[in-house]
Amino acid sequence: MSEAILSASAYRYQSLAAEIEERIHAGVLLPGDKLPSVRNCCTARNVSPSTVFQAYYLLEARGLIRARERSGYYVAHGAHQAPPEPEIGLHTSPSSLTVDVTERVFALLQASFQPGTVAFGSAFPAAQHFPLAKLARAMAHNARHFVAHTMLDDLSTGHSGLRRHIARRYLADGLPLHADDLVITNGALEALNLCLSTVTRPGGTVVVESPSFYGALQALERLGLNVIEVPTHPRDGIDLQALQAAITQHQPQAIWLMPNFHNPLGCLMPEANKRQLVDLITCHRIPLIEDDVYGELYFTARRPLPAKAYDREGWVLHCSSFSKCLAPGWRIGWVAAGRFSQAVARQKLTTSISTNAPSQAALAQYLEGVGYDKHLRQLRHTLATQRDCMTQAIAQHFPAGTRATRPEGGYFMWVELPEGCDALALHQRALAAGISVAPGPVFSASRAFGRCLRLNYGLLWDARTEQALQMLGQWCCEMTRTGAQGIAPCGS
Amino acid sequence: MSEAILSASAYRYQSLAAEIEERIHAGVLLPGDKLPSVRNCCTARNVSPSTVFQAYYLLEARGLIRARERSGYYVAHGAHQAPPEPEIGLHTSPSSLTVDVTERVFALLQASFQPGTVAFGSAFPAAQHFPLAKLARAMAHNARHFVAHTMLDDLSTGHSGLRRHIARRYLADGLPLHADDLVITNGALEALNLCLSTVTRPGGTVVVESPSFYGALQALERLGLNVIEVPTHPRDGIDLQALQAAITQHQPQAIWLMPNFHNPLGCLMPEANKRQLVDLITCHRIPLIEDDVYGELYFTARRPLPAKAYDREGWVLHCSSFSKCLAPGWRIGWVAAGRFSQAVARQKLTTSISTNAPSQAALAQYLEGVGYDKHLRQLRHTLATQRDCMTQAIAQHFPAGTRATRPEGGYFMWVELPEGCDALALHQRALAAGISVAPGPVFSASRAFGRCLRLNYGLLWDARTEQALQMLGQWCCEMTRTGAQGIAPCGS
């Protein structure tokens, strides 16, 4: 079967599954409801039985439907059991702030890397989810065929074969980029930092989302930049009206956003909003630094386009990497910087010259095959399933009043705990028990989000993980009882 | 034979060869003079015949002595033929300057990377001088044994095994460093930039040497720092009196130097001067950023100590890498930042998180064996031999009045052309003929050194290289004839 056919059929079954899932979450399909038979579904939608079976298997794996022998598929009990979503935050300050988060973030990160920790606080999925053995084979094969003089070729912009592969993937997804538009970097974080250094000057102001990836806040702090935090909605992405007001009031030098599967919210900005966003920044001639590292980890029917896809005048500096979806620890990222391409390439040359050559060559070779798409399908499936597990565990074990986002990709869930809970206290208590969480205050320069957590559902999922979530829920219940006036009702 | 014995004997023959070479250059031994017989030399110095033979072979390979059948070894004709050394520069400005070199440097670098160019202007030795096949085997072997979860270990500071190897090598050379003192970086340039960002603030002033590595000037330009250029002597390194005056007058935030095999001069700062230098910066509490990337490429009897070896109070931020001596293109460097260690580690984590994991693991494995020392001995021998070839070619083909440094390590020679010559014009003319040089003005913020060149003698040396040097010499002769008043005498 060719890769094109594979992709089309993959698209169909995922699309069907996504549609059914949406109906379950919307309460159109209720627990115990019977799903259409495979034959009826085939006729109604003009798809093959294998497409329907695959969709049903997927939903079954996610715990949303159950097969009953000789009867068919039924919506599972607890399938629509999900905590309510958080509201858009009013936590945020509309004024420009200096940034001072680095110390807190370091304390958090160091704790999360203790071996044996159940690492809900980690920024990476479990290494076991990645095809490291296959990458190693590509590396070994490639290493045997090194051509000496190529080691110094492609200085600064990176391995031309790898850049072609990346560009080709974007093109297939509907974003026409050329290999020459790309600079390979030491992970996306270097790309983002190069972009930020290119388009800002110390003392300037940059808009970020609220809550926001702490790496962005650390970068602003390091470069002596001020920050405007603009609220981001768990469904719609950054509040475009608030963004426009911030632009008018503060004339920021740049905007740093994550429209696809935002860290920490996990939310996906709708396409229409992305288009409006790019119109807005283009009109004001403000560079938009787009962090798209989770773009490939979608549970939706197809890859969501990045904001870069709507960029006609080159104001979007689009950054991504293989660190979250293929090769953590390899530190291979890239940037397509639009009108700032040459300036970013020069920043790269003067800060780290170029990016590790053997790894670039090995990745280029790995991408020759169909293994990457196969791996991604598997990884998306795993993450989507584990998102559901986490959603249900939170509904079951966390106190009433807990809210949680419903990520459509990536591996982060944002949890808002009820009154009486304190994320930093929970973080401390959990650490002592070998569990890490990412407490809300590290995601804001204004130290808001004191009752919020970012939880990583991309770790290895087993009984210990379930138990750790149960314990977290229990401690939150205790907090609501002791911290709040009355005794709050608690699940389980 | 154990590695320890190998090293001791390596030391003895190199030491003997260095001593004889010095006598030849000093004119104590003249062309045609007979060297002591192997037997006499053994008795006089209490060394083995093999030590003497090795020393004589080395000198013969460098063209300094010739064997006559059944008679013995004689000083070669032309052995002491070397152009005079440049004087210390008066080119330099004692005032603080803003930096604006990046455009010129890019034009130069792009030209130097055209395939097929005889790349005297390159910053790297020829890739063929490196044990790439052996490194590839280490990479392949290592790749097969990846342990998944280690991919995310050692975040930020780097692979612990690699850090131990690096620390062990320093210890053997007389610089006691601990693995925990080190942070692995994307090459030395990232290390240097992290140090610079850590100890400076935009608008501050930094002392560099004059001439100076253009990467330092580009870094200052990017970070909005001003520069003080302090003259550096081809034999003694930076002028310590001038440095003291600059410190008193300008209160710099940092000093960025290259005491071992300076780029572009190739000079080696004497140990006593290094000690004085560290005393001076310690007394003034000014961070010294030391770039030691050429330290392993010594032609002297033993590895020259870096300034870090004299650092008792942690004011020296010592940076180095494998890019110039083992694995170009792998981008693996490191920093031992003394009292700034934690701050630099955090800069690393917030700019690029960590350094390519597979390459670090593969290098750690390669360093387990004795291959690296064997490779280094071979590389030093090659570079020393080619330094002599270049010295003689300059003496033979360049116009009278040409001066050239006598590097005791590394692969850069600094050439000062006589009146009437113009390095930028020569650069243009050479490029058109497929030859690159690094013109002097890129090594100074004040655009001095208009008659100087940096030439790389680390490329593959063959008839084409010799011919290219001859052509460069010829064009310089033409320039002196047309540019200057009279007709200058020319060699060849």
Side-chain angles (χ1 to χ4, degrees):
Chain A
M1 203 188 292
S2 85
E3 183 59 18
I5 296 171
L6 254 177
S7 302
S9 99
Y11 166 70
R12 274 197 295 272
Y13 89 84
Q14 288 175 340
S15 161
L16 175 58
E19 198 180 299
I20 297 169
E21 183 179 350
E22 208 175 296
R23 289 191 194 181
I24 293 171
H25 284 306
V28 177
L29 285 168
L30 292 173
D33 278 0
K34 189 170 192 277
L35 264 65
S37 72
V38 173
R39 183 191 302 188
N40 285 348
C41 195
C42 289
T43 316
R45 300 174 163 271
N46 195 23
V47 294
S48 74
S50 108
T51 298
V52 181
F53 272 118
Q54 280 183 80
Y56 284 10
Y57 291 158
L58 183 62
L59 293 167
E60 193 181 12
R62 293 190 191 162
L64 293 169
I65 65 173
R66 295 277 174 266
R68 283 190 211 151
E69 221 173 325
R70 295 172 203 225
S71 167
Y73 283 91
Y74 293 82
V75 176
H77 288 280
H80 69 308
Q81 194 182 30
E85 290 179 276
E87 305 279 309
I88 190 163
L90 293 170
H91 319 270
T92 54
S93 154
S95 61
S96 163
L97 294 169
T98 57
V99 195
D100 169 28
V101 297
T102 298
E103 287 304 314
R104 264 177 301 160
V105 173
F106 277 106
L108 163 77
L109 285 178
Q110 273 160 5
S112 299
F113 280 107
Q114 297 307 313
T117 301
V118 182
F120 295 121
S122 168
F124 291 89
Q128 289 85 345
H129 293 321
F130 297 101
L132 298 182
K134 281 177 187 153
L135 286 171
R137 277 203 291 280
M139 180 72 98
H141 178 86
N142 198 274
R144 280 195 301 276
H145 298 89
F146 270 151
V147 181
H149 63 83
T150 65
M151 296 296 292
L152 293 176
D153 288 356
D154 303 315
L155 268 185
S156 128
T157 53
H159 188 282
S160 54
L162 180 61
R163 286 185 287 127
R164 271 197 301 278
H165 276 295
I166 295 169
R168 207 174 294 156
R169 293 187 65 84
Y170 277 118
L171 188 62
D173 288 328
L175 168 54
L177 277 182
H178 192 273
D180 291 344
D181 299 331
L182 296 165
V183 175
I184 306 292
T185 56
N186 296 303
L189 191 60
E190 189 191 48
L192 293 158
N193 275 298
L194 293 174
C195 292
L196 199 60
S197 308
T198 301
V199 301
T200 64
R201 290 290 162 271
T205 295
V206 173
V207 169
V208 301
E209 292 164 276
S210 176
S212 179
F213 169 44
Y214 49 73
L217 298 173
Q218 288 177 311
L220 302 190
E221 181 175 344
R222 199 167 28 72
L223 294 174
L225 294 160
N226 299 313
V227 67
I228 308 284
E229 300 188 316
V230 172
T232 283
H233 190 277
R235 282 265 161 210
D236 302 333
I238 193 163
D239 180 328
L240 290 172
Q241 275 194 307
L243 176 60
Q244 180 148 31
I247 289 174
T248 313
Q249 194 185 338
H250 297 282
Q251 286 98 42
Q253 291 180 345
I255 299 169
W256 174 325
L257 303 184
M258 210 180 279
N260 289 337
F261 315 125
H262 178 264
N263 175 1
L265 292 181
C267 64
L268 171 63
M269 190 181 217
E271 303 300 292
N273 292 29
K274 285 180 194 158
R275 195 186 295 270
Q276 256 188 282
L277 167 68
V278 176
D279 286 349
L280 179 66
I281 62 109
T282 302
C283 161
H284 288 275
R285 302 174 67 82
I286 299 173
L288 170 62
I289 301 172
E290 174 178 44
D291 181 354
D292 194 42
V293 289
Y294 306 103
E296 286 280 16
L297 302 179
Y298 53 90
F299 315 147
T300 46
R302 51 169 67 226
R303 190 201 198 289
L305 283 172
K308 182 73 184 167
Y310 304 103
D311 182 28
R312 299 279 164 269
E313 297 188 22
W315 288 98
V316 179
L317 301 93
H318 172 86
C319 303
S320 192
S321 90
F322 292 115
S323 300
K324 310 300 175 80
C325 50
L326 178 63
W330 287 44
R331 311 299 310 137
I332 305 292
W334 60 86
V335 50
R339 60 172 63 211
F340 304 98
S341 283
Q342 197 191 31
V344 168
R346 293 182 170 198
Q347 285 271 341
K348 168 69 183 167
L349 192 54
T350 63
T351 47
S352 64
I353 302 186
S354 60
T355 301
N356 184 274
S359 294
Q360 290 188 71
L363 280 180
Q365 166 148 351
Y366 175 81
L367 294 175
E368 291 286 343
V370 297
Y372 186 36
D373 283 305
K374 214 171 126 189
H375 154 70
L376 281 174
R377 280 195 293 274
Q378 176 60 45
L379 179 58
R380 288 175 200 131
H381 180 193
T382 303
L383 294 177
T385 306
Q386 298 189 176
R387 170 202 58 182
D388 296 337
C389 295
M390 183 172 271
T391 301
Q392 287 177 36
I394 288 172
Q396 205 178 339
H397 303 302
F398 278 57
T402 300
R403 293 169 175 271
T405 52
R406 289 176 194 165
E408 294 178 80
Y411 46 86
F412 292 132
M413 190 174 290
W414 182 251
V415 179
E416 202 179 287
L417 301 170
E419 286 286 342
C421 289
D422 177 66
L424 288 168
L426 181 67
H427 164 65
Q428 288 303 331
R429 181 161 185 181
L431 266 190
I435 304 167
S436 76
V437 301
V442 302
F443 300 99
S444 157
S446 50
R447 309 196 185 205
F449 307 112
R451 284 195 284 118
C452 296
L453 304 174
R454 184 194 73 185
L455 298 182
N456 178 337
Y457 52 80
L459 20 75
L460 268 196
W461 205 272
D462 55 18
R464 213 173 142 235
T465 325
E466 290 278 359
Q467 198 190 0
L469 272 177
Q470 193 173 344
M471 286 165 75
L472 286 175
Q474 217 167 327
W475 294 324
C476 290
C477 288
E478 288 171 20
M479 281 186 182
T480 57
R481 281 196 288 266
T482 56
Q485 260 62 20
I487 293 170
C490 239
S492 93
Chain B
M1 203 188 293
S2 84
E3 184 60 18
I5 297 170
L6 254 177
S7 302
S9 98
Y11 167 70
R12 275 197 295 272
Y13 90 84
Q14 287 175 340
S15 160
L16 175 59
E19 197 181 301
I20 297 169
E21 183 179 350
E22 206 175 296
R23 289 193 194 178
I24 293 171
H25 283 306
V28 179
L29 285 168
L30 293 173
D33 278 359
K34 189 170 192 281
L35 265 62
S37 71
V38 173
R39 183 191 301 186
N40 285 347
C41 195
C42 290
T43 316
R45 298 173 164 271
N46 194 23
V47 293
S48 73
S50 108
T51 299
V52 181
F53 272 119
Q54 280 184 80
Y56 284 9
Y57 291 157
L58 183 63
L59 292 168
E60 194 180 11
R62 292 192 191 160
L64 293 170
I65 66 174
R66 294 278 174 265
R68 283 189 210 153
E69 222 174 324
R70 295 171 204 227
S71 169
Y73 284 91
Y74 292 82
V75 177
H77 289 280
H80 69 308
Q81 194 182 30
E85 290 179 276
E87 306 278 308
I88 191 164
L90 293 171
H91 320 270
T92 55
S93 154
S95 61
S96 165
L97 293 170
T98 57
V99 194
D100 169 27
V101 297
T102 298
E103 286 306 315
R104 264 177 301 160
V105 172
F106 276 105
L108 163 76
L109 285 178
Q110 272 160 7
S112 299
F113 280 107
Q114 297 306 314
T117 301
V118 182
F120 295 121
S122 169
F124 290 90
Q128 290 85 345
H129 292 322
F130 296 100
L132 298 182
K134 282 178 186 152
L135 286 172
R137 277 203 293 280
M139 180 72 97
H141 177 88
N142 197 273
R144 280 195 301 275
H145 297 88
F146 270 150
V147 181
H149 63 84
T150 65
M151 296 295 292
L152 293 176
D153 289 355
D154 302 317
L155 269 184
S156 125
T157 53
H159 188 282
S160 53
L162 180 61
R163 286 185 287 128
R164 271 197 302 278
H165 276 296
I166 296 169
R168 208 173 294 156
R169 292 187 65 84
Y170 276 119
L171 188 63
D173 288 328
L175 168 54
L177 277 182
H178 192 273
D180 291 343
D181 299 331
L182 296 165
V183 175
I184 306 291
T185 56
N186 296 304
L189 190 60
E190 189 191 46
L192 292 158
N193 275 298
L194 293 175
C195 291
L196 200 60
S197 308
T198 301
V199 301
T200 64
R201 290 291 162 270
T205 294
V206 173
V207 169
V208 302
E209 292 163 276
S210 176
S212 180
F213 168 44
Y214 49 74
L217 298 173
Q218 288 176 312
L220 302 190
E221 180 175 344
R222 197 165 30 72
L223 294 174
L225 294 161
N226 299 312
V227 67
I228 307 284
E229 300 188 317
V230 171
T232 282
H233 190 276
R235 282 265 161 210
D236 303 333
I238 193 164
D239 180 327
L240 290 172
Q241 274 194 308
L243 176 61
Q244 181 148 30
I247 290 174
T248 313
Q249 196 187 337
H250 298 282
Q251 286 99 38
Q253 292 180 345
I255 300 167
W256 174 325
L257 303 184
M258 209 181 279
N260 289 337
F261 315 127
H262 178 264
N263 175 2
L265 291 181
C267 64
L268 171 63
M269 189 181 217
E271 303 300 292
N273 290 30
K274 286 180 195 158
R275 194 187 296 270
Q276 254 187 286
L277 167 68
V278 176
D279 287 348
L280 179 66
I281 62 109
T282 302
C283 162
H284 288 274
R285 302 174 68 83
I286 299 174
L288 170 63
I289 301 172
E290 174 177 44
D291 182 354
D292 195 42
V293 290
Y294 306 103
E296 286 281 16
L297 303 179
Y298 53 90
F299 315 147
T300 45
R302 52 169 67 224
R303 189 201 199 290
L305 283 172
K308 182 73 184 167
Y310 304 103
D311 182 28
R312 300 279 164 269
E313 298 188 21
W315 288 97
V316 179
L317 301 93
H318 172 86
C319 303
S320 191
S321 90
F322 291 114
S323 300
K324 310 300 173 78
C325 50
L326 178 63
W330 287 43
R331 310 301 309 136
I332 306 291
W334 60 87
V335 50
R339 59 172 64 211
F340 304 99
S341 282
Q342 197 191 31
V344 168
R346 293 181 170 199
Q347 285 271 341
K348 169 69 183 168
L349 191 54
T350 63
T351 47
S352 64
I353 303 186
S354 60
T355 300
N356 185 274
S359 295
Q360 290 188 69
L363 280 180
Q365 167 150 348
Y366 175 81
L367 294 174
E368 290 285 343
V370 297
Y372 185 36
D373 283 305
K374 214 172 127 191
H375 154 69
L376 281 175
R377 280 194 293 274
Q378 176 61 45
L379 179 58
R380 288 174 201 135
H381 179 194
T382 303
L383 294 178
T385 305
Q386 297 189 177
R387 170 201 60 183
D388 294 339
C389 295
M390 183 172 272
T391 302
Q392 287 176 36
I394 289 172
Q396 204 178 339
H397 303 302
F398 278 58
T402 299
R403 292 169 177 271
T405 52
R406 289 173 196 168
E408 295 178 79
Y411 46 86
F412 293 132
M413 190 175 291
W414 182 252
V415 178
E416 201 179 288
L417 302 169
E419 287 286 344
C421 289
D422 176 67
L424 288 168
L426 181 66
H427 164 66
Q428 288 304 332
R429 180 159 187 182
L431 266 190
I435 304 167
S436 77
V437 301
V442 301
F443 300 99
S444 158
S446 49
R447 308 195 186 204
F449 306 113
R451 283 195 283 119
C452 295
L453 305 173
R454 184 194 72 184
L455 298 182
N456 178 337
Y457 52 79
L459 20 76
L460 269 195
W461 206 272
D462 56 17
R464 209 170 145 238
T465 326
E466 290 277 0
Q467 199 191 359
L469 272 177
Q470 193 174 343
M471 286 165 76
L472 286 175
Q474 217 167 326
W475 294 325
C476 289
C477 288
E478 288 171 19
M479 281 186 183
T480 57
R481 280 195 289 268
T482 56
Q485 261 62 19
I487 293 171
C490 241
S492 96

